Amino acid sequence: MQQLLLPLLLVLVLAVPLVMSTRKQKKQQAAQKDLQTSLSAGDRVMTTSGLYGTVADASGDNTIDIEIAPGVVTTWLRLAVREKVEPVVETEEDSVDEIEAPAEESIIESGSGIKNEDEPQTTAQVAPPLEHGKK
């Protein structure tokens, strides 16, 4: 009896984590399958490649159409959808900051003639192109 105890304990120590990880993996696969079958038009999703978009048409068996920009609809495999995400909600503060900030930066970057006398004026230097194959 003493000789069978050590091998039995060794088998239990190896088998229990293996069984538990298999169960966890099966649950994750079932949840992913449920997500992919429950997709409908208007859902905001993220693909496995990290692309965000809105489901435009989910009537196909294996494919769905995702709108990635206004008027730009692409066709994807259902399996490429990783998760549903919440739609982006803008507050008034966010929209005001986004409108004002780029306008100020674009005036400075475009060199529209507005100069700040306190800041030193610099000119950009462009490096010569690299020549490949010559030493």
Side-chain angles (χ1 to χ4, degrees), residues 64-120:
I64 60 170
D65 291 338
I66 298 177
E67 183 176 23
I68 57 176
V72 180
V73 178
T74 57
T75 302
W76 292 76
L77 287 174
R78 281 188 183 268
L79 298 175
V81 175
R82 181 177 183 173
E83 62 186 78
K84 284 185 185 179
V85 294
E86 295 297 319
V88 178
V89 178
E90 284 189 17
T91 61
E92 287 184 30
E93 294 174 2
D94 291 341
S95 61
V96 169
D97 290 344
E98 290 176 5
I99 293 171
E100 290 177 4
E104 292 172 3
E105 291 174 11
S106 63
I107 291 171
I108 293 170
E109 290 176 4
S110 66
S112 64
I114 300 173
K115 295 181 182 177
N116 188 349
E117 294 177 8
D118 295 336
E119 294 181 13

Side-chain angles (χ1 to χ4, degrees), residues 8-87:
L8 183 61
L9 283 174
L10 186 61
V11 167
L12 284 175
V13 167
L14 294 175
V16 169
L18 183 65
V19 170
M20 295 302 283
S21 67
T22 304
R23 288 183 62 207
K24 183 179 178 182
Q25 188 176 23
K26 284 183 181 181
K27 285 181 183 180
Q28 287 176 343
Q29 287 176 345
Q32 188 71 16
K33 187 174 181 177
D34 290 342
L35 166 79
Q36 291 167 352
T37 56
S38 71
L39 292 174
S40 61
D43 289 341
R44 181 113 171 109
V45 295
M46 181 178 75
T47 64
T48 54
S49 61
L51 184 76
Y52 289 91
T54 305
V55 176
D57 180 24
S59 61
D61 291 337
N62 295 324
T63 60
I64 60 170
D65 291 338
I66 298 177
E67 183 176 23
I68 57 176
V72 180
V73 178
T74 57
T75 302
W76 292 76
L77 287 174
R78 281 188 183 268
L79 298 175
V81 175
R82 181 177 183 173
E83 62 186 78
K84 284 185 185 179
V85 294
E86 295 297 319

